[in-house]
Amino acid sequence: MRSGLLAFAGLFFTWIFYERFWKWRDCIDEALSSCITPEGANLTSGGIFWGIFAIVFFILALFAFIRGRSKL
């Protein structure tokens, strides 16, 4: 159960990372600072930070899964 919740958090932060950085990375690189989406959102290269959260939660989920399996 715990590993599932951590994996869900990892997926959530992966989605945020994609929406706030990865999808717009070319525009952010060209502007060298920020990029305005058609919806009016201002995106910066700081959006890559969400990827760090995603990786951390996926690693925690993996450890929780392994720990739970070893108790069986």
Side-chain angles (χ1 to χ4, degrees):
M1 180 71 171
R2 183 177 184 178
S3 62
L5 290 173
L6 290 168
F8 178 76
L11 286 173
F12 175 72
F13 284 113
T14 299
W15 174 72
I16 293 175
F17 168 72
Y18 176 77
E19 288 292 324
R20 300 297 293 178
F21 179 76
W22 193 256
K23 186 162 70 169
W24 304 99
R25 68 190 182 279
D26 294 332
C27 178
I28 293 169
D29 286 341
E30 285 179 22
L32 298 176
S33 61
S34 64
C35 179
I36 306 295
T37 67
E39 295 83 28
N42 185 16
L43 305 174
T44 66
S45 59
I48 201 166
F49 190 67
W50 296 111
I52 296 168
F53 283 117
I55 291 169
V56 168
F57 276 105
F58 280 129
I59 290 171
L60 290 173
L62 181 62
F63 284 144
F65 179 75
I66 291 171
R67 177 179 268 171
R69 299 288 286 169
S70 66
K71 290 182 181 179
L72 295 178

